[in-house]
Amino acid sequence: MSASAPPDGRVADDASRPVTRGIMRPALPAAARAAVPRLVGHPRAWLVLLALGSLLAVIAPFMTRFSPAVEALPWILLPGASSVAVVVGMRRYGLSRSRPWLMVCVGLLMTLAGSALGWGVGWIWLRSPVLLAAYQIVTVSAYVLSLAALAVLSLRSVGSRGAALLDAGVITVGVAMPLWALFIDPILDRAPSVGPDLAFTLILPIIDLFIVGLVVRMALDNDRAPWLNMLSVSYVAMFFSDIIYLLDQASGQSYGTVSTTFWLGWSALVGGAMLHPSMSGARHMHVSAPSGRVRVTMFLSLALLSPLVSILGRTFMGVGAEVSPHDAMTITALTVLLAVLLVLRLSVVAEVAETHASDLCAALQQQDVLQRSLAHRATHDPLTGLGNRTLLGEALQRAVADHAARPDGHAPALLLLDLDGFKDVNDTYGHPVGDELLTVVARRLRTLTPDGQILARLGGDEFAVVLPGADLAAATAAAERVLSAVRAPYSLDGHELYLTTSIGVLAETTLTTASDALRDADLALYAAKAAGKNQIAVFDHTLRAERLHHAEIAAGLRQALAQGEFSLAYQPVVNLASGRIYAVEALLRWLPAGGRAVPPDVFIPVAEDTGLIVEIGRWALERACADA
């Protein structure tokens, strides 16, 4: 990549005017080789190179007053230092492992080295036409290589390859329209013939347009990274260097001073960009968004201003107020091409939007399916597929609310059943057989629960059935059917198993909450198991009173152990034949503080149910031994 304006400001005729800067890749002079390593090794090397290079680019045009050797010095030092910066940047950030970046860096090195040796030494110092011709040919080759490398790099850095090329095309055509009207067409009108020098002069700005379009596009897509900003500005400077020379050709005046500053500024910016720390992310370019506010504003400006500037600019610049038919056709063709590119770019945006909308719709559908699945898992038992305790509570609460709204009907009934001896099946045949047994029981129960009734597994071997609006007779009949269905034999894993169930029935009872219903049904279930299992027990309020009394006794037993309310009464054991006492029997007594004694047949069963009998027995043994 490089520029094409003759940096020295000399005005030659069209046949002898030097046109471009070019490339070779010879070794740097000894002075540059000694100074540059110290520069690039500094942590702020990019800033030092940018500052010194910018200063040298500003003062370089004024060095034409000195000898050719002094005049060539900026062209040797600055491109030479930037060449070393490119090599260091390639190695430091691993760019040589990427083919597009390797092509970009080779193009930069060709242009920088050619600028230092071909133009600085070969033409400014030695005035060698042979080196100048070789320089021009290699310069065009470097431009083409850089353009191809940036195109490949841009295609790799974006999500839509068509969008990358269309963006570059829009920028190129939008800038090419005024470029043609204000510079290229006047040069062609004035030129008696199109020779090699004129061809070189015209082709470089055209390639610049594509390069600038690609680099700007990459900068917009990658959040305007510092190194990309510097690279974009450098190529804009190179473009202006070539444009200024075209202006020189079109107007017959010399703008070599400005052209030299822009060209050397390109060298400084390229070296700074390659050494900048943000270059570490150059190998991992971000995927671009389909559109953006800056991009849309730029495209709109190009679409509106390019034709207007192309028509009116000729008058203001004095390059011809009249527009010839072929000029009008060219501008019209470029305008149409710009419109077509914008429409195609819009279609890409629409396609991306449709794709995103389709993906979003699919994602929403998947999310809906996932939410349904999660909701089902949250309210259903994974083993049997029945509702779980949460679903049962919701169903009970709805049934209670419905009955409260229509109190003339029956309150909902609830069956709570627990499988008798299920633990023995698990312990004897293993949990897989136990799980299979639960699924079979669930299938049998499902056949007994028509629509409108809720069947749930509460956990373990406990199930529940909600019967909305059922009276006691209907609830008891349903419980009998369940009892009979569960009692039928099971053939599992080559074994014939038998199982029974105990059922607690809650019916014709005014309910306020689902938790109250479950509590009362559980009391009935407890009564069914206490009655010998394989039984049906109907809840009545005496069960609640008994349960409350049971809880009070249990709490009192814990307090009795802590406060020493137990005592032992010893009853002698007499040998009737001899009349001799040969043993004593220790009898446990409980006398609560400030109360009456509690009979053993009342608190012993409670102690056994709650497990407190172990601690009470240990106390009794120690007390009896101490008394003995």
Side-chain angles (χ1 to χ4, degrees):
M1 311 157 180
S2 52
S4 70
D8 61 351
R10 296 183 181 86
V11 181
D13 56 31
D14 290 343
S16 61
R17 187 187 302 271
V19 180
T20 48
R21 280 162 293 285
I23 326 225
M24 300 258 191
R25 195 176 170 183
L28 290 174
R33 290 200 307 270
V36 171
R38 292 194 298 271
L39 174 65
V40 298
H42 195 276
R44 297 282 184 177
W46 69 274
L47 187 58
V48 174
L49 180 58
L50 187 60
L52 295 179
S54 300
L55 178 62
L56 192 57
V58 172
I59 66 175
F62 303 100
M63 301 180 70
T64 57
R65 304 173 183 176
F66 302 100
S67 64
V70 176
E71 181 184 354
L73 191 60
W75 294 93
I76 298 173
L77 292 180
L78 186 52
S82 295
S83 299
V84 175
V86 170
V87 174
V88 171
M90 287 177 61
R91 293 180 178 178
R92 178 180 297 173
Y93 303 117
L95 301 180
S96 57
R97 304 187 190 100
S98 172
R99 181 174 298 178
W101 268 113
L102 185 60
M103 294 170 60
V104 170
C105 294
V106 169
L108 290 173
L109 289 173
M110 290 173 64
T111 308
L112 291 169
S115 179
L117 300 173
W119 181 262
V121 177
W123 177 249
I124 295 180
W125 191 350
L126 302 178
R127 296 291 176 177
S128 171
V130 175
L131 292 179
L132 177 62
Y135 160 78
Q136 293 171 345
I137 295 173
V138 178
T139 296
V140 175
S141 302
Y143 269 58
V144 174
L145 176 62
S146 299
L147 176 60
L150 285 173
V152 175
L153 192 63
S154 179
L155 292 179
R156 287 190 175 185
S157 68
V158 297
S160 172
R161 296 187 174 186
L165 297 179
L166 286 174
D167 285 353
V170 169
I171 298 173
T172 301
V173 175
V175 179
M177 195 182 306
L179 179 65
W180 164 268
L182 302 181
F183 300 103
I184 297 178
D185 184 58
I187 292 175
L188 294 177
D189 291 340
R190 291 177 52 193
S193 61
V194 180
D197 287 345
L198 184 58
F200 282 129
T201 305
L202 295 176
I203 194 173
L204 294 181
I206 296 174
I207 300 177
D208 286 342
L209 285 177
F210 284 97
I211 291 177
V212 170
L214 290 171
V215 175
V216 171
R217 209 283 186 180
M218 290 164 56
L220 292 176
D221 290 338
N222 289 269
D223 299 327
R224 293 182 288 280
W227 71 271
L228 265 177
N229 286 338
M230 296 172 66
L231 200 62
S232 301
V233 174
S234 73
Y235 282 114
V236 171
M238 180 171 59
F239 172 69
F240 276 114
S241 179
D242 291 336
I243 288 297
I244 290 170
Y245 183 62
L246 273 179
L247 182 62
D248 185 5
Q249 293 277 34
S251 62
Q253 301 179 13
S254 175
Y255 300 95
T257 299
V258 181
S259 177
T260 298
T261 300
F262 275 118
W263 171 253
L264 292 177
W266 171 82
S267 300
L269 286 165
V270 165
M274 294 298 295
L275 290 178
H276 197 277
S278 64
M279 199 72 187
S280 59
R283 292 189 62 207
H284 306 287
M285 308 282 281
H286 302 304
V287 176
S288 68
S291 185
R293 182 175 299 177
V294 176
R295 184 183 287 107
V296 171
T297 303
M298 180 177 61
F299 289 171
L300 183 61
S301 301
L302 289 174
L304 295 177
L305 297 179
S306 290
L308 186 63
V309 172
S310 301
I311 299 298
L312 300 180
R314 296 172 64 92
T315 302
F316 293 133
M317 292 186 63
V319 295
E322 297 181 359
V323 180
S324 62
H326 75 273
D327 292 339
M329 291 179 60
T330 303
I331 294 176
T332 302
L334 290 175
T335 303
V336 171
L337 179 59
L338 180 61
V340 170
L341 291 175
L342 288 172
V343 171
L344 292 176
R345 186 63 178 88
L346 182 61
S347 68
V348 171
V349 174
E351 181 181 354
V352 172
E354 290 177 0
T355 302
H356 287 180
S358 177
D359 294 342
L360 179 60
C361 183
L364 290 175
Q365 291 178 352
Q366 292 178 356
Q367 184 179 9
D368 182 63
V369 171
L370 180 60
Q371 288 178 344
R372 292 174 182 271
S373 175
L374 292 176
H376 185 271
R377 292 183 181 183
T379 57
H380 287 78
D381 173 49
L383 177 63
T384 62
L386 302 179
N388 59 11
R389 185 178 292 272
T390 301
L391 183 64
L392 178 70
E394 295 173 355
L396 270 174
Q397 200 61 49
R398 286 195 302 269
V400 170
D402 291 343
H403 179 255
R406 296 187 297 271
D408 53 331
H410 292 288
L414 176 63
L415 307 183
L416 199 62
L417 56 123
D418 186 270
L419 302 181
D420 302 325
F422 178 75
K423 184 177 182 301
D424 295 336
V425 175
N426 271 339
D427 295 342
T428 303
Y429 302 102
H431 287 280
V433 175
D435 291 344
E436 188 176 357
L437 178 60
L438 288 175
T439 58
V440 175
V441 171
R443 284 199 298 268
R444 293 184 181 182
L445 295 177
R446 195 179 281 116
T447 61
L448 300 176
T449 52
D451 294 339
Q453 298 181 1
I454 303 298
L455 173 63
R457 179 189 175 207
L458 304 186
D461 58 345
E462 192 174 10
F463 296 84
V465 182
V466 179
L467 298 87
D471 57 9
L472 179 58
T476 305
E480 292 286 354
R481 291 193 295 271
V482 170
L483 205 67
S484 177
V486 174
R487 196 163 42 223
Y490 300 85
S491 296
L492 300 175
D493 196 25
H495 304 284
E496 185 170 325
L497 306 179
Y498 293 88
L499 201 64
T500 60
T501 183
S502 300
I503 304 176
V505 178
L506 177 67
E508 296 184 358
T509 301
T510 302
L511 303 176
T512 55
T513 63
S515 59
D516 289 343
L518 286 171
R519 179 200 61 196
D520 293 343
D522 191 60
L523 291 176
L525 174 61
Y526 181 82
K529 283 190 170 294
K533 302 181 180 179
N534 193 28
Q535 300 288 330
I536 297 174
V538 179
F539 170 79
D540 60 45
H541 292 285
T542 59
L543 294 176
R544 189 181 300 170
E546 291 175 0
R547 192 63 180 175
L548 179 60
H549 183 253
H550 183 280
E552 292 174 349
I553 294 296
L557 288 174
R558 290 184 174 86
Q559 182 178 353
L561 277 172
Q563 297 182 2
E565 296 178 355
F566 290 113
S567 62
L568 293 179
Y570 300 102
Q571 175 175 288
V573 180
V574 180
N575 187 331
L576 296 180
S578 63
R580 184 174 62 88
I581 299 175
Y582 67 91
V584 293
E585 184 180 15
L587 304 176
L588 183 65
R589 298 292 182 262
W590 176 24
L591 180 62
R596 293 186 300 176
V598 180
D601 61 342
V602 173
F603 71 82
I604 291 297
V606 177
E608 292 175 345
D609 286 345
T610 58
L612 293 173
I613 193 64
V614 176
E615 294 185 43
I616 295 173
R618 182 182 299 112
W619 176 88
L621 180 62
E622 293 175 353
R623 179 75 266 174
C625 290
D627 290 345

